[in-house]
Amino acid sequence: MKRQLTRELQQDLNVTLVRSLTWRLPVHSIEIAFQTVKRTKMDILMKMMLIAFQKGTIETAEELSELLLVDPLFINDLISLMTRTKIIEKKGLTFGLTEKGVQQLATGIFVHEPESATKKALFSPCHQNLLQGDIKPDPLKELEVYRWNDEFNNWEIDSLEDSALRNALQAMDVESDEGNTQIVVSDITSATAEQTVHIPCLEFQLYDKSEDLFYVRVWNTLLQRWDETLETQLNDKERKQWRADYLEKYDKK
């Protein structure tokens, strides 16, 4: 990979590779616990039951079963489901719709009970963001850690906002919208830091003679692309020193 990237960077004859480095970027494995809800188009029986509860005075499942000519087992199951999801409730002796039930009947969309799940994500303090990619066993444990890592490593798990966690879950295709069924993340219940893992990165310090410009490119093996965030950090912090080192080396010659 390093040879391939070097060839790519040196296709411009004005560009000289001054130095190349390989180092490890620490990222933190985080377990995100969350809840999803499924939204589906209401079936005819549920709509008929809700309308009956809204307009009539239904006290028992048996009454509704006789009214709709539907097996009591189906009626009881749906009453139990609608009670758990809080779209109906007993008001005195009769069933009635809650505010949520009125809204769902109006839209024709039934919101199912929440389901709990967990997913693992990767947080990079140097990016101040969650990254997507597959972690592989680190074969290069002798490599130095990214030299500016300590400057960005004063983070806490509580500093991660729900919006960032939701974006990470969306990137992992937790949510879906197909046909008459939609699944969305309804709540982030917790985020727990687990272990620290390391991502090999390839750094290329370059000089463009035509622009008289020193700059860096960094290939992030987790993202499988050039990493503009790390490049900006290195350019901002080290560009002047690269020029000074280059000029010193040139003077000695």
Side-chain angles (χ1 to χ4, degrees):
M1 180 183 290
K2 189 172 184 178
R3 287 194 296 269
Q4 178 182 341
L5 294 172
T6 300
R7 285 196 298 269
E8 177 184 327
L9 293 169
Q10 292 185 308
Q11 285 181 354
D12 186 341
L13 297 179
N14 289 308
V15 173
T16 301
L17 176 61
V18 179
R19 189 183 183 198
S20 64
L21 301 168
T22 309
W23 36 263
R24 296 184 299 160
L25 177 73
V27 297
H28 303 276
S29 174
I30 292 174
E31 183 177 82
I32 307 173
F34 60 97
Q35 288 187 325
T36 60
V37 292
K38 181 166 67 174
R39 298 170 179 163
T40 58
K41 189 175 180 179
M42 281 186 184
D43 60 34
I44 296 299
L45 179 56
M46 181 176 285
K47 281 187 177 180
M48 291 172 63
M49 290 175 63
L50 289 174
I51 292 170
F53 290 143
Q54 187 178 48
K55 297 182 178 294
T57 54
I58 308 296
E59 295 187 9
T60 65
E62 287 72 20
E63 287 181 41
L64 190 57
S65 173
E66 292 177 6
L67 177 66
L68 300 178
L69 300 177
V70 176
D71 191 304
L73 287 176
F74 291 115
I75 299 296
N76 272 311
D77 286 347
L78 276 176
I79 286 177
S80 177
L81 175 61
M82 290 190 287
T83 301
R84 291 197 309 271
T85 54
K86 299 180 180 179
I87 62 173
I88 65 170
E89 62 184 359
K90 264 294 187 73
K91 299 180 178 180
L93 296 176
T94 62
F95 286 101
L97 271 62
T98 63
E99 183 179 346
K100 184 189 293 185
V102 173
Q103 293 173 350
Q104 291 189 27
L105 178 59
T107 61
I109 301 298
F110 174 57
V111 181
H112 294 247
E113 297 173 271
E115 294 186 4
S116 298
T118 60
K119 284 284 187 181
K120 293 189 186 299
L122 297 170
F123 178 75
S124 168
C126 292
H127 293 77
Q128 286 297 298
N129 207 349
L130 291 151
L131 305 181
Q132 299 300 320
D134 296 325
I135 287 292
K136 300 176 182 178
D138 185 357
L140 303 170
K141 294 183 179 180
E142 73 279 4
L143 291 178
E144 296 288 335
V145 171
Y146 177 45
R147 52 195 177 277
W148 294 104
N149 177 68
D150 289 345
E151 183 169 323
F152 298 94
N153 208 28
N154 56 341
W155 72 285
E156 295 181 0
I157 188 72
D158 294 338
S159 66
L160 292 181
E161 296 182 357
D162 276 7
S163 58
L165 298 172
R166 287 176 184 273
N167 289 339
L169 293 173
Q170 289 170 356
M172 290 184 272
D173 295 326
V174 167
E175 298 185 327
S176 63
D177 190 357
E178 298 180 2
N180 294 324
T181 301
Q182 181 187 47
I183 298 175
V184 298
V185 175
S186 58
D187 188 34
I188 304 291
T189 53
S190 68
T192 307
E194 297 184 317
Q195 61 179 336
T196 300
V197 295
H198 293 85
I199 308 304
C201 292
L202 306 176
E203 175 184 343
F204 302 89
Q205 297 173 15
L206 304 160
Y207 175 65
D208 186 330
K209 183 179 179 180
S210 63
E211 301 288 339
D212 188 24
L213 177 68
F214 285 87
Y215 64 100
V216 71
R217 301 306 310 271
V218 176
W219 183 267
N220 187 316
T221 61
L222 174 71
L223 305 178
Q224 286 296 298
R225 61 173 172 79
W226 297 112
D227 193 320
E228 294 181 0
T229 299
L230 298 176
E231 290 171 358
T232 298
Q233 290 171 13
L234 290 167
N235 281 328
D236 289 346
K237 294 176 181 298
E238 300 184 10
R239 196 197 304 263
K240 290 182 179 179
Q241 188 61 49
W242 296 333
R243 181 177 291 277
D245 292 345
Y246 183 77
L247 290 175
E248 181 182 357
K249 182 178 179 181
Y250 179 79
D251 289 342
K252 286 181 179 179
K253 290 184 178 181

